Amino acid sequence: MLPDIGVLRPWTDPTCVAIGRLPLHADATRPDTARLVLDGDWDFRLAETPDDVEATWVAAQPPADGWRTLAVPGNWTMQIAEDLPHYTNVQMPFPGPPPRLPERNPTGVYRRTVDVPADWDGRRLVLRLDGVETAHAVWLDGTFVGYGTDSRLPSEYDVTALLTPGRPAQLALAVVRYAAASYVEDQDNWWMAGPHRGIVLEALPTTALDDVVVVPDWDPETGLGRADIAATVRFAGEPQEGWTVRVVLGGVDGGPGHPGADDLDAPVPTSLRPYEYRGHTAHVVWEDLDVEPWSAERPELHEVRVELLDPQGDVVDVVTTRTGFRRTEVRGSDFLVNGQRVWVHGVNRHDIHPDRGSAVTREDIRDDLLQMRRHNITAVRTSHYPNDSAFYELCDELGFYVVCEADIESHAWNWSLCDDPDYRATWVDRGARMVSRLRNHPSIVQWSLGNESGYGANHDALAGWIRRVDPSRPLHYEDAIRTLGWLHGHHATDVVCPMYATIDAIAAYGAQVASGEADRPLVLCEYSHAMGNSNGSLADYWETIWSTPGLQGGFVWEWKDHGLRQTLPDGRTRLAYGGQFGDEPNDANFVADGLVSADLGPHPAMRELAWVHRPVAVEVAPGGDGLLVRNRQAFLGLDGLVGRWRLTVDGEPAGEGELAVEVAPLGEATTPYPRDVPEGASVLLDVEWTTREDAWWAPAGHLVAWDQVVLRGGAVPAPAADGGRVPTADEAGAPALHVWRAATDNDGFKVFHADEDDELQGGKALASWKRWGLLDDGFTLPHELSSEEAAGGVLHRLVVDVPQEYDDLPRVGMVLEVDPRFSQVSWFGRGPHECYPDRQSSAVLGRHEGPVDDLPYLMPQEYGLRTDTTWVELVDPATGDALRFTTRGEPFHFSATRHTSRQLWAARSADELEPHDRLVVCLDAAHRGLGTASCGPDVLDRYKVPTGRHEVAVLVQVVRPV
Ligand code: GAL
């Protein structure tokens, strides 16, 4: 049994959030403070339950053997075979009700020696664990130090009395995997275990700065900044008169002192008289500072340096923190930064890495932010818990708007815990600790009370605390408006932040804003569920957002797949989802729903997201005699971008040049066409904007915005069919009617809730397709399919009459299995990336080329479509031959993959997928959109395959490439 706490069992008691833990203070840098970073190899051993931990494991002298080495920080679930990751979404991994815990409750003990430097004599020693999942307890030389919960925030303990400088000590950390607190950490995520963030021992002056809080502001009316600084001092003994706090404002980005901001001194109050006593906090304020404001577009940071001077005038302690002068507020139905209505181009981000699990490094975080910024993502909701300080430091510095969320999700017990007095302390403590720790970061523009925990008195208690302590930031809480309705819940949320709302619903809210009925801005806290081949109608969302009062954007769910790298018995590796570790119960591949793969490879939808988030947009001006250019940035003009235009007439280049136009932030301007519109069936003007200078996220020349303006017509005439020959039967295969696609996660799940009677599947397209027998051998529809030699090739013609009862088919077209030597593709149509009828706004008409696509998704499913194609050539790079398919009717959609639709559908994991011996070419007259029905609205009706007549006619030839 664990000594000292084994009898009390605090991990089973929701009212006990910590024992002996220090209050959290704002994170800041202590440039002169000595510290021992305790990251690295620790000794480790695992017990089946906390009761199975032997007291000797945490004693001054531990048993000599039975230990192995594990990395700290780290999840033990990613490092050992006996206790593995477990994935669940809403359900808990074990039955409740709260606070009941499972019988098997793995408990790990970590140990190491701490060599306390001899010159630390006379210092106050504080041990900090930056994040431990789930409950932890600490012993030094066998003496109990403290206990804590709240996996995603630091825990600090004063260990001065337990350490002797110059003498090594034995540090033991016991971690209990499941605790009463697990019921509020029930996020849609892997359950891990262990110290996933760093551990450090700091040596502080005995009288020292205990907390430094900086509240910046920037007044858009006057253009002047302000900063309010509160420095709290901790005295070693009785407070003495004569101590002073000095505050120095640095210039931009660490430069020398800011002009016009004098150093400010304030005496540290010392009174201990009852009634008068307010603690030992010195306040200073800079007013009317001539400073540039901080924003995500221009993240100007200033260093605030706070010194503590003793009565002799000597500096005994220094704390620095970076601030940005900015105002974030909700005014009426607008969310404003520095008085401007900013577009929220956001994603939801979890801490997740395929090899390190939740133990992400600063470099991992930076890699995420880099990939985001390259795709015009400039806002993050820290779903669903506070991140490591490194995340906020990077967002301050690199420029991101952050909705910082408390680590509170009681999803499985949604309607009880939020009103349960036993969990009241948990709620308030988690939210208050988050604010206390992270409030100095200018990137945080809203606080979130957590996720999916119902709405109850515990939320109101927390909201009240935050409103009192930090009135400078609006509050965000989705379940308040879900529970009470979008016009209500004002106490808990200043923004209407629904998840997965339909376009019609947000448009209706906009109408209520216009009529004065609704009084808050709407920012979708989650939308456009990126599971598998998804994110249909992103551009339709944004058409509505741009044009509707009160709507300001949202956060796509979610940033990254949570696939975890797993080695299979045959030595191959795969990115595993729930259940593939033997974890039961589980929610399968619902954990793989990111815009990027677990390895950070962007899924094709990232192009569409980058496009809807583009900082500048171009369209035909009203009246049609020029271009309308809109600047969607709130603080920058267009001078940081280079605009270029390119004209294409009937598919052929017809001129290009620079587009020089200046547009004020959030403004628009018209400019004449760069040249007279020439004759032609199809005249397309492409406008591209690239960065003028190198930036942290991309070198100069990076493409940030593009538009294709149709000046005349659209479809490009097919090229003449000359110079080709008739393909052999082996080269061209034989066409067949094709109406099935390997269902996407949005069409319906094949592993998770796979039963069509399941409430999550019923009503989905896949349920109808199964009912109609689409997958059965011999399924067919009334159609005519003919192949005849014509014009130097073979003309395939398909005419299908889709009967009324099949009113939502996956696709209607033909499939051919062709010679696999044709491994390169070039085409005229939309591209270059994968696109579908409801995800093609970013895909421009033009000539594109590339290799045959590989499956970009973790779960095998339909992929690789290109829409509105006039011709496609499959090229054999060895011989230079090309198999050309040219429309002899309307443009078609095509895909060329190494798997049949049936193979893709049959495989339950990418590692089960073998390449087919033929190249599979689909030529579709119609193809269903994608929607986001895996969690959210299905495909809009206008993107469904209509009943009635569909035709595809293609001429197939072997040619030399055009
Ligand atoms: C939301 C939830 C997220 C995630 C998403 C579906 O309800 O807040 O955590 O579960 O649905 O992937």
Side-chain angles (χ1 to χ4, degrees), residues 588-795:
N589 62 314
F590 203 61
V591 79
D593 51 3
L595 287 161
V596 294
S597 71
D599 278 322
L600 262 187
H603 289 158
M606 282 278 271
R607 295 312 298 158
E608 189 84 346
L609 190 65
W611 184 83
V612 294
H613 288 175
R614 66 202 186 286
V616 48
V618 179
E619 62 190 76
V620 175
D625 56 354
L627 297 173
L628 178 70
V629 183
R630 294 177 206 273
N631 181 357
R632 298 202 196 284
Q633 301 167 108
F635 306 104
L636 300 178
L638 299 186
D639 42 330
L641 303 177
V642 177
R644 292 197 68 77
W645 59 269
R646 201 174 50 241
L647 201 64
T648 315
V649 178
D650 294 342
E652 296 300 325
E656 59 181 73
E658 195 154 320
L659 188 74
V661 50
E662 189 43 86
V663 187
L666 295 176
E668 57 184 49
T670 49
T671 183
Y673 291 134
R675 123 166 354 173
D676 289 344
V677 180
E679 292 305 314
S682 158
V683 181
L684 304 172
L685 181 73
D686 284 283
V687 180
E688 293 186 348
W689 305 84
T690 53
T691 50
R692 196 178 289 283
E693 286 173 3
D694 291 349
W696 68 271
W697 47 278
H702 175 81
L703 181 68
V704 293
W706 64 99
D707 275 290
Q708 184 167 64
V709 181
V710 179
L711 298 183
R712 233 191 269 291
V716 174
D722 46 6
R725 70 163 165 84
V726 179
T728 63
D730 186 53
E731 284 168 331
L737 173 72
H738 196 211
V739 295
W740 167 249
R741 73 178 180 195
T744 65
D745 290 312
N746 291 320
D747 296 333
F749 302 124
K750 65 179 159 194
V751 180
F752 171 59
H753 293 276
D755 179 357
E756 57 259 43
D757 295 331
D758 185 287
E759 58 176 306
L760 279 177
Q761 290 287 73
K764 292 246 181 107
L766 177 61
S768 312
W769 300 343
K770 286 184 176 171
R771 211 171 45 244
W772 297 341
L774 251 56
L775 268 170
D776 299 347
D777 286 340
F779 176 88
T780 192
L781 291 175
H783 71 282
E784 285 169 27
L785 180 59
S786 61
S787 298
E788 59 189 27
E789 279 194 28
V794 178
L795 180 69

Side-chain angles (χ1 to χ4, degrees), residues 216-270:
D217 186 31
W218 189 83
D219 185 346
E221 300 274 308
T222 61
L224 296 172
R226 180 182 197 278
D228 189 317
I229 293 114
T232 301
V233 173
R234 185 179 194 286
F235 283 103
E238 283 290 300
Q240 293 167 279
E241 293 285 335
W243 289 75
T244 315
V245 162
R246 171 168 302 155
V247 188
V248 180
L249 182 64
V252 176
D253 296 336
H258 187 78
D262 297 334
D263 299 355
L264 299 175
D265 286 0
V268 180
T270 51

Side-chain angles (χ1 to χ4, degrees), residues 27-33 205 208-215 227-233 244-250 263-266 268 280-284 286 302-309 315-323 440:
D27 61 357
T29 306
R30 290 179 164 272
D32 301 337
T33 297
L209 291 161
D210 207 29
D211 199 5
V212 169
V213 176
V214 180
V215 182
D228 189 317
I229 293 114
T232 301
V233 173
T244 315
V245 162
R246 171 168 302 155
V247 188
V248 180
L249 182 64
D263 299 355
L264 299 175
D265 286 0
V268 180
H280 309 298
T281 304
H283 281 273
V284 301
W286 277 297
H302 293 258
E303 188 183 81
V304 175
R305 179 184 170 87
V306 180
E307 299 171 349
L308 177 64
L309 285 71
V315 175
V316 297
D317 195 17
V318 178
V319 162
T320 66
T321 184
R322 293 185 304 176
T323 196
N440 283 351

Side-chain angles (χ1 to χ4, degrees), residues 215-380:
V215 182
D217 186 31
W218 189 83
D219 185 346
E221 300 274 308
T222 61
L224 296 172
R226 180 182 197 278
D228 189 317
I229 293 114
T232 301
V233 173
R234 185 179 194 286
F235 283 103
E238 283 290 300
Q240 293 167 279
E241 293 285 335
W243 289 75
T244 315
V245 162
R246 171 168 302 155
V247 188
V248 180
L249 182 64
V252 176
D253 296 336
H258 187 78
D262 297 334
D263 299 355
L264 299 175
D265 286 0
V268 180
T270 51
S271 167
L272 290 179
R273 287 165 66 98
Y275 193 73
E276 210 172 75
Y277 177 71
R278 284 166 175 263
H280 309 298
T281 304
H283 281 273
V284 301
V285 181
W286 277 297
E287 304 269 11
D288 299 337
L289 288 172
D290 183 12
V291 282
E292 288 295 324
W294 182 98
S295 68
E297 292 171 25
R298 194 181 278 160
E300 297 218 352
L301 291 176
H302 293 258
E303 188 183 81
V304 175
R305 179 184 170 87
V306 180
E307 299 171 349
L308 177 64
L309 285 71
D310 66 14
Q312 288 71 47
D314 294 331
V315 175
V316 297
D317 195 17
V318 178
V319 162
T320 66
T321 184
R322 293 185 304 176
T323 196
F325 294 90
R326 56 110 186 90
R327 181 178 291 180
T328 165
E329 64 185 321
V330 166
R331 202 186 311 148
S333 57
D334 293 324
F335 167 60
L336 304 177
V337 173
N338 301 331
Q340 297 297 328
R341 202 169 175 266
V342 294
W343 296 113
V344 179
H345 293 154
V347 293
N348 282 277
R349 179 187 171 281
H350 268 283
D351 276 340
I352 190 75
H353 185 278
D355 303 305
R356 289 185 273 284
S358 64
V360 296
T361 63
R362 177 181 276 263
E363 290 68 40
D364 296 334
I365 296 170
R366 198 173 198 284
D367 289 347
D368 278 1
L369 295 175
L370 183 84
Q371 189 67 294
M372 286 180 196
R373 191 65 189 77
R374 286 188 174 158
H375 293 85
N376 297 333
I377 293 162
T378 51
V380 179

Side-chain angles (χ1 to χ4, degrees), residues 89 188 384 409 411 451-452 499-500 526 529 557 590 593 935:
N89 173 16
D188 177 6
H384 296 299
E409 177 164 342
H411 209 165
N451 188 55
E452 295 184 317
M499 49 173 75
Y500 309 108
E526 296 177 24
H529 195 247
W557 187 267
F590 203 61
D593 51 3
C935 184

Side-chain angles (χ1 to χ4, degrees), residues 311-585:
Q312 288 71 47
D314 294 331
V315 175
V316 297
D317 195 17
V318 178
V319 162
T320 66
T321 184
R322 293 185 304 176
T323 196
F325 294 90
R326 56 110 186 90
R327 181 178 291 180
T328 165
E329 64 185 321
V330 166
R331 202 186 311 148
S333 57
D334 293 324
F335 167 60
L336 304 177
V337 173
N338 301 331
Q340 297 297 328
R341 202 169 175 266
V342 294
W343 296 113
V344 179
H345 293 154
V347 293
N348 282 277
R349 179 187 171 281
H350 268 283
D351 276 340
I352 190 75
H353 185 278
D355 303 305
R356 289 185 273 284
S358 64
V360 296
T361 63
R362 177 181 276 263
E363 290 68 40
D364 296 334
I365 296 170
R366 198 173 198 284
D367 289 347
D368 278 1
L369 295 175
L370 183 84
Q371 189 67 294
M372 286 180 196
R373 191 65 189 77
R374 286 188 174 158
H375 293 85
N376 297 333
I377 293 162
T378 51
V380 179
R381 174 174 176 243
T382 65
S383 54
H384 296 299
Y385 37 76
N387 290 191
D388 189 80
S389 295
F391 171 83
Y392 304 94
E393 287 163 17
L394 288 165
C395 290
D396 294 344
E397 180 184 317
L398 305 175
F400 284 85
Y401 298 123
V402 176
V403 172
C404 181
E405 191 146 280
D407 188 4
I408 304 173
E409 177 164 342
S410 62
H411 209 165
W413 301 89
N414 218 41
W415 301 114
S416 53
L417 298 191
C418 56
D419 275 314
D420 186 338
D422 277 355
Y423 276 89
R424 183 173 56 224
T426 294
W427 247 257
V428 176
D429 194 58
R430 283 171 181 249
R433 278 164 44 81
M434 167 182 78
V435 173
S436 304
R437 178 69 177 164
L438 300 167
R439 58 203 293 195
N440 283 351
H441 292 284
S443 54
I444 298 175
V445 294
Q446 291 174 13
W447 296 118
S448 163
L449 305 186
N451 188 55
E452 295 184 317
S453 302
Y455 179 39
N458 294 340
H459 288 105
D460 282 348
L462 173 57
W465 190 95
I466 300 179
R467 288 193 187 286
R468 174 77 190 192
V469 172
D470 182 14
S472 78
R473 290 176 174 99
L475 290 190
H476 166 120
Y477 185 55
E478 182 267 341
D479 239 339
I481 54 125
R482 187 198 328 219
T483 308
L484 301 181
W486 291 11
L487 300 183
H488 306 284
H490 289 65
H491 185 64
T493 190
D494 298 314
V495 283
V496 173
C497 43
M499 49 173 75
Y500 309 108
T502 62
I503 295 173
D504 286 349
I506 61 173
Y509 181 81
Q512 290 178 310
V513 167
S515 71
E517 233 179 310
D519 57 1
R520 288 172 295 181
L522 184 147
V523 175
L524 291 147
C525 77
E526 296 177 24
Y527 79 112
S528 198
H529 195 247
M531 183 176 184
N533 193 353
S534 186
N535 307 96
S537 280
L538 257 179
D540 298 311
Y541 270 93
W542 278 89
E543 281 302 330
T544 302
I545 291 168
W546 288 320
S547 58
T548 309
L551 309 189
Q552 271 184 257
F555 298 87
V556 168
W557 187 267
E558 68 175 307
W559 171 238
K560 197 197 271 186
D561 283 352
H562 298 219
L564 299 176
R565 202 164 343 263
Q566 185 185 43
T567 305
L568 298 169
D570 63 7
R572 289 182 304 153
T573 59
R574 69 176 175 193
L575 292 166
Y577 57 78
Q580 292 186 320
F581 291 100
D583 42 325
E584 290 292 339

